[in-house]
């Protein structure tokens, strides 16, 4: 009977060692999982911050684009006004040239009569 009890004790001791090894392995797996979870959380935070930064850049660039579009509209209006002025000046210059030719013609006649 003593041999049977010793065999049971050995069996139980072996089972305890097996369970302790399994506990150590499970603890290591849990620690690795916690570490991986922490790394994933940190990466997620970094990505959220990067996305927020990119969104802020997009907003800023859209604002700049709008301002440049407004400025372009103003410049187009200014260019149109300048082009109209140039056309008006060209018409005035043409009229003055014709008048000058008439005056020169009349002057030539007056000088010719004397």
């Amino acid at each position: 009977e003593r041999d049977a009890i010793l065999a049971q004790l050995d069996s139980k001791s072996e089972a305890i060692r097996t369970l302790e090894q399994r506990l150590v392995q499970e603890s290591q797996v849990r620690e690795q999982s916690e570490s991986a979870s922490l790394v994933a959380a940190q990466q997620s935070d970094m990505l959220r911050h990067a996305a927020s930064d990119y969104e802020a850049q997009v907003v800023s660039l859209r604002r700049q684009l709008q301002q440049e579009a407004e400025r372009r509209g103003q410049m187009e209006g200014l260019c149109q006004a300048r082009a109209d002025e140039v056309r008006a000046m060209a018409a005035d210059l043409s009229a003055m040239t014709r008048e000058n030719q008439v005056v020169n013609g009349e002057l030539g006649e007056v000088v010719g009569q004397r």
Side-chain angles (χ1 to χ4, degrees):
E1 188 175 306
R2 183 175 178 190
D3 287 339
I5 293 174
L6 285 176
Q8 282 181 348
L9 181 62
D10 284 343
S11 175
K12 300 288 180 178
S13 294
E14 184 64 29
I16 288 173
R17 277 193 295 274
T18 301
L19 289 173
E20 285 175 342
Q21 288 174 352
R22 186 172 173 198
L23 178 64
V24 168
Q25 290 172 349
E26 294 289 331
S27 293
Q28 289 173 346
V29 168
R30 182 184 52 80
E31 288 174 7
Q32 290 172 351
S33 295
E34 288 175 352
S35 176
S37 175
L38 180 61
V39 168
Q42 290 171 343
Q43 288 176 343
S44 176
D45 285 344
M46 286 174 43
L47 289 173
R48 262 191 236 104
H49 289 302
S52 177
D53 290 345
Y54 288 134
E55 184 62 31
Q57 287 178 350
V58 166
V59 167
S60 174
L61 289 172
R62 283 183 179 156
R63 187 177 342 102
Q64 289 176 10
L65 180 62
Q66 180 63 34
Q67 290 171 347
E68 289 301 320
E70 290 172 4
R71 184 171 175 212
R72 178 179 175 208
Q74 293 171 350
M75 289 295 146
E76 285 176 349
L78 183 62
C79 286
Q80 184 62 41
R82 298 285 186 216
D84 292 344
E85 287 177 19
V86 167
R87 278 191 290 278
M89 287 181 188
D92 289 347
L93 180 60
S94 178
M96 287 173 34
T97 301
R98 282 190 300 274
E99 289 174 11
N100 191 24
Q101 288 172 348
V102 169
V103 168
N104 279 338
E106 290 175 356
L107 180 63
E109 287 178 16
V110 168
V111 168
Q113 292 175 357
R114 289 191 180 193

